[in-house]
Amino acid sequence: MQTTSVVKVLAAWLLGLMLVVAGFIATVSVLNGQLYSPEHQVRLYLDALRDGDGEKALGLLNASVPDGANPTLLDGEALSRGSDPIEDLEVGEARGAGGDRVEVPVTYTVDGVATSTVFPLQRTGTEWGFFNVWRFEPTVLPTVEVSALNSVVAAVNGVDVGLPDGRAALAALYPTALTAEYEGRYFSAPARHATITSRENPPPPLALATEATPELTQAVDDQLHAFLDGCAEQTVFQPTNCPFNYPTNERLAGDISWSIAEYPSATITPGNGGWSLATLRGTARIETRLRDFFSGAVRDVSEAVPFEFEADLVVTEDAITVTPVVRYR
């Protein structure tokens, strides 16, 4: 009787042990498929991108920054904003890539365009002998070049980025969306967009086409108008240092009055590291009376006088200077 009881107790203990072992194996299997899975590492990385935690994201990706690259996009607001346009993001199941390597696909859309990124990871060992340790394979971050005509700064993902010599190579984590633009008092550039999906597929350069703002154009027009109005105040056939005149062999028989019938329209373009004005064309009108040298007859004159001239333009943060350049023919 006593032997039978011992056997039953032993059998119960063995059964319990088997259940514990089976439960532990099941737990290890579940954790290796979730918390210790390569997919989980990818999710942690993507979360770091959304949070703007560049240090964590860079460490998880196991990536280095190229020498000389601008790191502005690798942390904080510039980084987190790069995830805002990314929608419908899904982390797929890891697929074998030989040996202890796997590839984890991530699909998403940017502005409605479907795309994907594949992350390679490698199993580097275990924790406590049971839980797999996965690590992204080492890589070097891609860069995107941002340039702006005649500007040393641009806003990328809402953060100002210095552009030495008008351009900069910005290192970027991925996947991320970039928006580069420039909005200044006198010059601005429409936004340019790019999506970085991997190191192997860097985006084309983002070249910002800087243009004059309405404020600058108005300021230039005001100075041109003031210059020409000053010329029109001169009551002579050839106003001094002015682009228009009225040649004649007849004698003056009345007052001379000039007016500007059509002011030039300023076209401001980049050039030689500064800004230039295209040739300025307009029309003046002269009102006077002339006496014929031979007959003595007097006639009224009201004629349109087309003119053109050049002007130098200097723009600083404090002043706009337009200097007309008149060449007599």
Side-chain angles (χ1 to χ4, degrees):
M1 188 69 177
Q2 185 176 2
T3 301
T4 302
S5 298
V6 171
V7 171
K8 288 181 178 181
V9 171
L10 182 59
W13 180 83
L14 289 173
L15 178 61
L17 179 61
M18 292 174 63
L19 291 174
V20 170
V21 171
F24 178 75
I25 293 174
T27 299
V28 170
S29 178
V30 169
L31 290 176
N32 275 330
Q34 297 180 3
L35 186 61
Y36 291 91
S37 68
E39 295 91 341
H40 182 66
Q41 289 296 104
V42 172
R43 292 189 185 95
L44 290 176
Y45 167 72
L46 296 174
D47 288 343
L49 293 186
R50 285 190 291 268
D51 294 340
D53 190 342
E55 183 178 0
K56 181 177 180 180
L58 194 64
L60 285 168
L61 189 61
N62 198 16
S64 58
V65 180
D67 292 340
N70 187 309
T72 300
L73 300 180
L74 302 183
D75 198 31
E77 183 180 358
L79 176 59
S80 62
R81 282 192 175 188
S83 294
D84 291 344
I86 297 177
E87 300 177 330
D88 307 318
L89 190 147
E90 292 186 6
V91 178
E93 293 186 2
R95 57 196 184 210
D100 289 330
R101 298 177 62 253
V102 297
E103 294 179 341
V104 178
V106 176
T107 58
Y108 47 93
T109 62
V110 179
D111 296 329
V113 179
T115 187
S116 63
T117 298
V118 176
F119 293 99
L121 292 91
Q122 186 172 14
R123 185 167 53 197
T124 59
T126 60
E127 284 187 5
W128 303 312
F130 298 102
F131 303 114
N132 293 326
V133 175
W134 293 95
R135 186 170 176 81
F136 286 80
E137 293 190 348
T139 188
V140 179
L141 293 180
T143 60
V144 58
E145 182 180 281
V146 175
S147 63
L149 286 172
N150 294 351
S151 178
V152 294
V153 67
V156 184
N157 285 3
V159 177
D160 286 344
V161 175
L163 305 178
D165 299 322
R167 66 185 64 246
L170 280 69
L173 294 156
Y174 52 88
T176 190
L178 301 182
T179 297
E181 57 193 333
Y182 177 72
E183 189 66 44
R185 179 180 180 184
Y186 297 133
F187 301 99
S188 64
R192 295 288 306 276
H193 306 279
T195 302
I196 300 180
T197 60
S198 67
R199 170 170 173 75
E200 292 72 27
N201 295 295
L206 296 180
L208 300 181
T210 313
E211 301 173 345
T213 63
E215 182 175 352
L216 174 59
T217 301
Q218 185 62 56
V220 171
D221 283 342
D222 288 346
Q223 292 192 40
L224 290 174
H225 286 208
F227 163 68
L228 292 171
D229 289 344
C231 288
E233 291 176 356
Q234 300 183 46
T235 57
V236 295
F237 287 125
Q238 173 68 72
T240 304
N241 296 324
C242 293
F244 50 82
N245 65 84
Y246 186 77
T248 181
N249 292 322
E250 297 175 278
R251 292 181 178 180
L252 183 64
D255 294 332
I256 297 173
S257 175
W258 287 99
S259 63
I260 306 301
E262 181 183 359
Y263 289 94
S265 178
T267 300
I268 303 170
T269 57
N272 299 322
W275 301 92
S276 63
L277 287 168
T279 299
L280 298 157
R281 296 180 174 86
T283 303
R285 177 167 292 276
I286 186 171
E287 307 277 351
T288 190
R289 302 187 77 200
L290 295 178
R291 185 185 303 274
D292 185 83
F293 183 80
F294 295 102
S295 68
V298 175
R299 66 184 180 93
D300 291 329
V301 174
S302 178
E303 293 187 24
V305 180
F307 63 84
E308 67 177 45
F309 65 103
E310 310 291 331
D312 295 330
L313 174 63
V314 177
V315 181
T316 67
E317 293 182 359
D318 302 319
I320 299 168
T321 304
V322 179
T323 305
V325 180
V326 178
R327 297 181 176 87
Y328 297 104
R329 297 180 179 179

